[in-house]
Amino acid sequence: MTTFLYGANVAANGIRQHYLRYGGADGSRAKRPAIVLIPGITSPAITWGFVGEVLGRTHDTYVLDVRGRGLSSASPTLDYSLDAQAADVAAFVAALGLREFSLVGHSMGARIAARAALHAPRGLASVALIDPPVSGPGRRDYPGKLPWYVDSMALARSGTDAEGMRAFCPTWTEAERQLRAEWLHTCDERAVLASYEGFHTDDFHADAARLAVPSLLMTAQNGDVVRDEDVAELQRATPAMLHVRVPNAGHMIPWDNAAGFYAAFSDFLGAPLAY
């Protein structure tokens, strides 16, 4: 049975923020922090719906469309900086009146979550950082190359299907590629370019070192986004940070090893995830 409740929009931080809600705040879920899931650079909320379905079994779950993606606000004049994205998250939880919540961010979303935590939003219980780009000033480049994003978005804008996405996502299922083909055109190229530049100019390590709530770092065994030495550096700066490396998975961890992804949380979010 599905845990999907509805999609909705809220006015927060001066923009329209679209989200999908799973699970609800009834029963045992009411005793646990809600989850606010922040996807990556070219991932509208709907593409993380299969994860929202699972999280919704145990937690009241909100999957965000980051500004410039999906059905949230986008425009030529919109600020697509990391600070603006982080302020969106703080305004979102305030607008919805979430009393206690955890931020779960993947890739770009992990960097947003770490920066948002510095705003000390009321009710923040914990932060989970899933395979965050550790690039930044004076560090190695992010291994994902910009043409992969630009070319796939251009193809999606012109109209394509699951087969057209195969060249970009060869290991994904047909259903996953079809969903990406349907929704990738909603990613504003200006937003993606700004976020990609931010991967190399914003200091994620400095943000992660200032986390004042329990934190979990989840990394992929494959893909070279977070190396062992990166994990060691992050844990030296934040000794209480937990770390789990998920085997047999690349950067898009739940696509490659769903069971390993959910198991990696253990009871960090207040209860084991019912996968």
Side-chain angles (χ1 to χ4, degrees), residues 5-221:
L5 295 178
Y6 55 80
N9 298 280
V10 63
N13 197 32
I15 67 167
R16 180 190 67 256
Q17 296 193 47
H18 177 260
Y19 64 95
L20 304 175
R21 189 179 184 190
Y22 296 83
D26 58 331
S28 60
R29 287 183 288 252
K31 303 175 184 177
R32 303 176 186 125
I35 293 175
V36 178
L37 175 60
I38 312 168
I41 189 169
T42 54
S43 294
I46 189 66
T47 64
W48 277 77
F50 72 107
V51 176
E53 287 278 6
V54 175
L55 298 180
R57 295 171 188 163
T58 49
H59 295 75
D60 189 17
T61 300
Y62 302 79
V63 186
L64 297 185
D65 271 330
V66 177
R67 60 170 56 200
R69 285 88 174 169
L71 302 181
S72 288
S73 290
S75 82
T77 59
L78 202 60
D79 180 359
Y80 289 121
S81 68
L82 180 60
D83 280 333
Q85 294 168 334
D88 285 347
V89 173
F92 176 83
V93 297
L96 267 60
L98 300 183
R99 291 180 296 178
E100 189 178 21
F101 59 92
S102 297
L103 299 179
V104 176
H106 172 253
S107 192
M108 176 192 76
R111 292 171 69 106
I112 295 171
R115 181 64 59 90
L118 302 186
H119 291 253
R122 183 186 299 273
L124 179 60
S126 63
V127 176
L129 309 171
I130 304 169
D131 221 41
V134 294
S135 48
R139 299 181 180 275
R140 74 177 188 277
D141 288 347
Y142 177 58
K145 301 307 180 185
L146 187 58
W148 187 91
Y149 301 103
V150 173
D151 293 350
S152 60
M153 287 189 295
L155 180 62
R157 286 194 303 272
S158 68
T160 190
D161 57 13
E163 188 58 32
M165 284 289 114
R166 185 184 297 275
F168 299 94
C169 311
T171 64
W172 291 22
T173 67
E174 183 174 4
E176 291 165 350
R177 287 185 282 107
Q178 184 61 47
L179 195 62
R180 187 164 179 82
E182 179 185 1
W183 281 90
L184 184 58
H185 77 92
T186 68
C187 294
D188 189 320
E189 184 172 300
R190 294 161 296 207
V192 173
L193 293 176
S195 293
Y196 190 86
E197 180 181 0
F199 285 176
H200 303 92
T201 57
D202 295 312
D203 192 343
F204 167 73
H205 282 262
D207 290 347
R210 295 167 60 192
L211 290 172
V213 296
S215 57
L216 168 68
L217 174 67
M218 184 190 305
T219 61
Q221 182 182 54

